Amino acid sequence: MTRHPFSYRLPGILGALAIAGLSPAAQAQPSDSPEEKTLPTVTVTVGKQSQALDAIAASVTMHDGESLEAEGVTRLESLEQITPGLTFQPFGQGGVNSPVMRGVSAQFFSFSSSTLLLVDGVPTLMAQGFDDGLLDLERVEVMRGPQSTLYGRNAEAGVISIHTRKPDNTPRAALSTELSSRSGRALRFSLSRPLVKDTLYASISGEWRQQDGFINNLTTGQREDDRERRNVKLALRWTPDTRTDATLRFARQEFHDGAALWGSPSSPRVTVRSNTPSWNRSTGDTLALDVAHEFGGGIKLRSITAYNSFHDRIQQDTDFQPAEMLYIARNHRFSNLSQELRLEGRAGTSRWLVGLYADRDDHDLLNTQKLPAAVSRSAASLRGQSTALFTNWTIPLGPQWTLEAGARVERTEIDFTPTGSASQSAGNTSVSPKLALQYQFTPSTQAYASISQGVRTGGFNVFVPAADYAAYTPEKLRSFEIGIKGTLAGQRLRYSAALYYMQMRQMQVQQMPMPGMVYITNAASGHSTGAEFELDWVMGQGWQLKSGLALNRTRFDRFQDGTNIYDGNRNPFAPDASGHVSLRYDAPAKWHVQAQMYGVGKVYLDAANRYSRNGYGMVNLQAGRSFGPWEISGYVRNATNKRYDAVGYQNGIVTVYSPPREFGVRLTWRL
């Protein structure tokens, strides 16, 4: 991949900033000018306790809701363009996203993820349903590195935590309409207000989005991949006194799409000749009760009770020809009922947290595979339960040293019953410790070193009767990390840098020896080495620069699949480099312009490293003007119309097409 110039210069720039941050004399004093903008102090809850972002002994990116809205970020997968170390596997179906964090990926058919998604504290533990409309946001926190100590299984490589605004005494309202290329139309709204002052509040937000496809069906004359998405979120908050805060939330997302962004590697680009209907009719629902109560002595109780479900319902042609020879269909129903209780408080100068977590999975699976000679249907039920006890302590060791120590013990049990066959069971107990040491050089600069362990749950090959539905064991990851972060120039520049080394054991690797047969084995061990850099700089006179760079090398140490030896191969879907830089200007006359460049390196689509998606660079542009409560803006995504198809997905039989350039205009009204 041809690397952009900023990818060479940024590490050196950040290294110089880190060295400068070690000296108190190097810290610029805050400006006395009230007109000079500075970066706000950011509070996050990555450790399940409120902390300043710059004081956390971990690699964390925080995106506040106002910035995401201003930049037009309305899709979860767009976070990869502004978050170093995070990418998503190319798949092409709405509602299903498999994240790749620090080169660690998970397989769709394992029904587990390597990175956990939390939406207002509610976990999504698999690629199916790994999505969110980013409505009425307060912030998004992205935590890199193992987070299983506090978040349990499937937080092996990190956590994406989405926080929606809580309704309060302040009335808020916003309405946004959008028109874009390929007949794109969108409507987004949010409304929040008190029902009883200081006691009862409510909010609602929603989205409807529709766009024509770009894949031409030469047989029917239609576009195959039309998209329609609907989202709604409701919240009812109750604060009967100053110590109690309870919020009841409901969220629903619906996908009414055409085909996935798939075609044949042997056909002309973005064309199919299919006569087999392809569609996506998936839905997801979440209901959650979040209660916080503060006792005397500063002890706080938090309870999150949640039910999260996703109905993965699709049909997809895979031969892309008029004759109905090959297709796949899924009718999977996933549900997870979870309960978390935790207490936090102080013991002298130390902060402590203890918690109990339990959940239950209840999945019904139906997979259909059309082959030239027959149609096969595989039905099964997958039941699971998990219980965990965890704790975390932050202990000052002196004026500048702080120790953070935590551990989690989690027991997971799985029962698998294929229709017409005997049930199988598997269980595992995992221990996920974490230890971090932090040194505060100055009030605005700190360095840290940490060691932690992550785990991804095991399972069964639920659609491989030929292998007797073989089980695979949990994947475990151990991480060593050092980093430095802080602010400079009177808090007009925030920077962070991290180096890490990770060891993976019993890696879960997906294999597909023939169309329709997918299985997962623990045949590999590997390691990942990398570095991450971030810079957020308020340059003055209305200018702001944001940039990030991730360098990663994830390789198999040992991997033998039958007679095939894959030692030294790259882990599928793991780029060696990714980065972004954006420059925005906000004029005193209430207009703005913004340019962003995002680049990512080549990724392989299989363990044999035969098929790949080439590296690419993308340019996004935006400009707008505010008129009182109104704002109009225009944008161009993928301005250079860059192609980045994943050629050879599904063991060589599928190309996942990249979307073309998109133009749009957005009109927004805010109260």
Side-chain angles (χ1 to χ4, degrees):
M1 181 188 71
T2 301
R3 296 171 66 181
H4 299 290
F6 81 93
S7 68
Y8 292 101
R9 294 195 296 264
L10 191 55
I13 294 172
L14 283 168
L17 291 173
I19 294 171
L22 302 183
S23 169
Q27 303 298 308
Q29 298 301 312
S31 170
D32 294 328
S33 171
E35 297 181 358
E36 188 171 322
K37 181 182 176 182
T38 61
L39 293 166
T41 300
V42 177
T43 300
V44 293
T45 55
V46 294
K48 298 196 174 182
Q49 294 174 292
S50 296
Q51 292 177 272
L53 174 65
D54 299 328
I56 296 170
S59 182
V60 181
T61 298
M62 196 284 292
H63 305 291
D64 69 87
E66 289 185 1
S67 295
L68 291 176
E69 182 182 6
E71 295 168 10
V73 178
T74 59
R75 296 172 291 188
L76 182 70
E77 58 268 32
S78 296
L79 292 178
E80 71 175 4
Q81 299 183 13
I82 53 176
T83 309
L86 171 67
T87 57
F88 287 93
Q89 296 183 26
F91 189 64
Q93 178 195 326
V96 180
N97 290 300
S98 186
V100 183
M101 189 80 79
R102 288 185 168 177
V104 181
S105 58
Q107 294 70 40
F108 293 99
F109 287 96
S110 68
F111 304 123
S112 65
S113 61
S114 59
T115 298
L116 182 69
L117 175 66
L118 288 171
V119 181
D120 298 314
V122 180
T124 295
L125 299 158
M126 61 183 68
Q128 293 81 359
F130 201 107
D131 208 340
D132 187 77
L134 304 182
L135 293 167
D136 200 20
L137 280 183
E138 179 181 322
R139 66 187 186 276
V140 177
E141 301 169 1
V142 181
M143 297 157 275
R144 291 177 288 271
Q147 305 296 327
S148 292
T149 301
L150 288 174
Y151 294 95
R153 73 190 199 277
N154 300 0
E156 175 193 27
V159 172
I160 301 172
S161 184
I162 296 173
H163 298 262
T164 307
R165 287 177 182 169
K166 285 187 175 183
D168 52 27
N169 280 326
T170 303
R172 299 191 306 270
L175 178 66
S176 176
T177 61
E178 188 175 324
L179 296 175
S180 61
S181 50
R182 306 201 315 273
S183 301
R185 293 149 288 170
L187 175 68
R188 290 169 64 94
F189 72 91
S190 63
L191 177 65
S192 176
R193 61 167 296 160
L195 302 179
V196 179
K197 187 179 180 181
D198 297 327
T199 304
L200 191 64
Y201 329 85
S203 68
I204 181 173
S205 57
E207 175 192 48
W208 170 80
R209 185 175 296 274
Q210 189 176 60
Q211 190 171 35
D212 292 347
F214 62 90
I215 300 175
N216 296 304
N217 190 327
L218 302 181
T219 297
T220 65
Q222 305 294 319
R223 298 293 177 93
E224 277 296 300
D225 56 313
D226 293 351
R227 291 288 183 265
E228 183 177 3
R229 173 175 178 163
R230 304 169 189 170
N231 294 293
V232 66
K233 290 186 177 182
L234 303 167
L236 184 65
R237 183 184 179 199
W238 181 47
T239 55
D241 52 52
T242 58
R243 293 178 176 268
T244 305
D245 191 333
T247 304
L248 180 66
R249 295 186 182 275
F250 171 77
R252 182 173 178 83
Q253 51 184 347
E254 298 179 354
F255 303 89
H256 297 263
D257 301 339
L261 307 184
W262 289 12
S264 171
S266 61
S267 297
R269 189 177 184 273
V270 297
T271 64
V272 296
R273 296 181 178 274
S274 177
N275 247 335
T276 303
S278 297
W279 43 262
N280 173 16
R281 298 291 183 269
S282 300
T283 58
D285 294 284
T286 300
L287 181 64
L289 177 62
D290 185 346
V291 180
H293 182 77
E294 184 172 349
F295 298 98
I299 297 177
K300 300 177 182 179
L301 170 69
R302 185 81 176 270
S303 169
I304 301 177
T305 308
Y307 175 77
N308 192 13
S309 68
F310 189 75
H311 186 186
D312 182 27
R313 183 168 171 260
I314 70 103
Q315 179 171 291
Q316 176 63 49
D317 185 26
T318 54
D319 60 67
F320 312 108
Q321 297 300 317
E324 189 174 274
M325 295 184 295
L326 301 172
Y327 71 78
I328 57 174
R330 301 191 302 268
N331 192 353
H332 300 338
R333 294 181 181 271
F334 305 99
S335 65
N336 176 268
L337 180 64
S338 63
Q339 172 65 60
E340 180 173 278
L341 290 168
R342 62 179 188 259
L343 283 171
E344 65 175 278
R346 288 187 173 272
T349 58
S350 301
R351 292 188 302 139
W352 58 265
L353 174 102
V354 295
L356 177 67
Y357 175 85
D359 71 8
R360 181 174 180 82
D361 294 326
D362 191 355
H363 308 328
D364 292 314
L365 311 174
L366 177 59
N367 199 65
T368 300
Q369 177 75 39
K370 172 66 171 65
L371 299 174
V375 176
S376 65
R377 291 183 174 84
S378 303
S381 65
L382 197 62
R383 308 287 182 260
Q385 58 185 18
S386 176
T387 55
L389 180 65
F390 60 91
T391 187
N392 198 73
W393 290 72
T394 304
I395 306 168
L397 301 179
Q400 294 172 294
W401 292 95
T402 303
L403 176 69
E404 182 180 347
R408 184 186 190 99
V409 180
E410 188 162 23
R411 175 67 182 176
T412 301
E413 297 178 351
I414 302 172
D415 296 312
F416 167 60
T417 307
T419 299
S421 300
S423 297
Q424 300 186 52
S425 298
N428 179 75
T429 300
S430 62
V431 179
S432 303
K434 179 178 181 179
L435 191 66
L437 187 63
Q438 175 183 329
Y439 182 74
Q440 196 77 35
F441 289 101
T442 72
S444 59
T445 305
Q446 63 113 331
Y448 66 89
S450 68
I451 179 172
S452 56
Q453 186 160 302
V455 63
R456 188 196 317 165
T457 190
F460 292 91
N461 282 285
V462 298
F463 301 125
V464 191
D468 197 26
Y469 308 103
Y472 49 91
T473 60
E475 177 178 298
K476 295 184 178 180
L477 182 154
R478 181 170 295 170
S479 173
F480 305 87
E481 181 175 333
I482 59 173
I484 187 168
K485 58 175 64 177
T487 59
L488 293 168
Q491 203 161 318
R492 290 190 293 111
L493 187 150
R494 177 176 285 120
Y495 67 92
S496 66
L499 304 174
Y500 60 87
Y501 174 76
M502 303 190 300
Q503 299 171 326
M504 288 87 78
R505 294 180 291 118
Q506 297 296 316
M507 292 181 70
Q508 298 172 11
V509 184
Q510 179 174 299
Q511 295 293 285
M512 188 176 181
M514 59 173 44
M517 183 178 182
V518 179
Y519 69 92
I520 296 169
T521 69
N522 292 109
S525 63
H527 70 276
S528 178
T529 305
E532 293 154 353
F533 309 91
E534 282 192 283
L535 180 70
D536 190 353
W537 183 16
V538 177
M539 303 165 66
Q541 305 298 319
W543 291 94
Q544 184 166 1
L545 174 73
K546 294 183 180 181
S547 61
L549 174 67
L551 306 174
N552 176 270
R553 188 180 188 275
T554 304
R555 301 293 188 268
F556 296 128
D557 293 330
R558 177 190 55 81
F559 185 10
Q560 181 171 353
D561 180 40
T563 60
N564 298 314
I565 305 296
Y566 299 143
D567 296 2
N569 281 16
R570 290 169 55 170
N571 196 33
F573 308 109
D576 280 354
S578 63
H580 72 276
V581 60
S582 66
L583 185 64
R584 181 182 174 99
Y585 175 68
D586 288 280
K590 303 300 182 182
W591 57 268
H592 75 270
V593 291
Q594 178 177 303
Q596 182 209 40
M597 181 172 67
Y598 166 70
V600 64
K602 179 179 182 178
V603 299
Y604 287 99
L605 310 178
D606 63 326
N609 290 182
R610 289 170 296 182
Y611 308 107
S612 65
R613 183 191 69 187
N614 289 330
Y616 65 94
M618 180 186 296
V619 176
N620 301 317
L621 304 173
Q622 179 178 293
R625 175 74 187 269
S626 296
F627 304 89
W630 296 90
E631 181 182 50
I632 186 168
S633 60
Y635 62 84
V636 185
R637 298 189 181 118
N638 190 11
T640 60
N641 203 25
K642 190 70 175 180
R643 297 179 180 178
Y644 47 100
D645 301 342
V647 182
Y649 191 69
Q650 296 284 306
N651 203 33
I653 67 172
V654 168
T655 291
V656 182
Y657 295 125
S658 61
R661 176 172 46 216
E662 180 180 333
F663 299 88
V665 61
R666 185 185 305 113
L667 179 64
T668 302
W669 171 84
R670 301 181 185 91
L671 176 64

